[in-house]
Amino acid sequence: QQYVDQGKLAELARKPDQALEDYSQAIKLDPQDADAYMARALIYQSRYEYINVIADSTKVIEIKPSYAAYIARGSAYVNIGNANPTKRQTDLALKDFNIAVQLSPEKAEPYAYKGLAYYDAGDYDSAIASYSDSLSHDGNYADAYFARGECYPAKLHYDKAISDSEQ
């Protein structure tokens, strides 16, 4: 726990390299430390190191499944596909986001993440439905309005796109 605490302090001091070292040391001492893996995955995410995010999030899921781990891993799958469309893994991302919905059905975010995965795959109808689900959980979720508004022009619903952009 000492190295996890040191890692958190290093993050607060804006020293991500030191935090990464501390979390890695914590994992070396206790390979079952889900908190250290999750913290390290989030640093990797901020560095766009999506393969490492997937590896650490998967380890968290094996040790102690959590909403955050499924969201992080699903987002990494989406981001890999954005960087290289030939490596798109929408099915894996959606699987993780669906589990996140099951773990925290009251939250709006996992529905929005599902919308993002659908949008990136070109399935605008499913994206719109997912963003709408997100908004049914949080009617003030501006990101969901914005993202849904981005989908509507593909369906030639310009009036709805304008309406969402005004929310």
Side-chain angles (χ1 to χ4, degrees), residues 132-150:
S132 296
D133 285 343
S134 178
L135 290 165
S136 74
H137 286 79
D138 180 355
N140 295 316
Y141 193 20
D143 289 344
Y145 278 112
F146 176 80
R148 188 175 68 178
E150 292 287 305

Side-chain angles (χ1 to χ4, degrees), residues 23-159:
Y23 296 137
S24 294
Q25 186 62 31
I27 290 165
K28 190 179 211 179
L29 293 173
D30 181 4
Q32 298 299 307
D33 190 337
D35 293 334
Y37 280 107
M38 191 70 236
R40 192 171 74 173
L42 294 175
I43 290 177
Y44 286 140
Q45 190 172 38
S46 72
R47 294 176 172 207
Y48 312 105
E49 296 179 26
Y50 301 120
I51 299 299
N52 291 330
V53 173
I54 291 168
D56 279 4
S57 297
T58 298
K59 193 67 177 171
V60 172
I61 290 165
E62 291 170 3
I63 297 167
K64 183 174 79 175
S66 72
Y67 168 84
Y70 283 106
I71 292 294
R73 189 172 73 176
S75 297
Y77 288 133
V78 168
N79 287 319
I80 287 171
N82 288 341
N84 184 346
T86 64
K87 295 187 177 187
R88 182 165 279 128
Q89 297 178 305
T90 304
D91 55 335
L92 295 174
L94 288 169
K95 181 178 175 187
D96 281 352
F97 297 146
N98 282 325
I99 294 170
V101 166
Q102 291 171 3
L103 292 173
S104 296
E106 74 287 352
K107 292 187 177 188
E109 291 83 4
Y111 298 98
Y113 281 110
K114 285 175 59 175
L116 176 62
Y118 284 125
Y119 177 84
D120 287 344
D123 183 350
Y124 302 112
D125 288 326
S126 295
I128 290 167
S130 292
Y131 290 128
S132 296
D133 285 343
S134 178
L135 290 165
S136 74
H137 286 79
D138 180 355
N140 295 316
Y141 193 20
D143 289 344
Y145 278 112
F146 176 80
R148 188 175 68 178
E150 292 287 305
C151 295
Y152 283 131
K155 304 301 295 177
L156 305 178
H157 296 298
Y158 301 108
D159 56 329

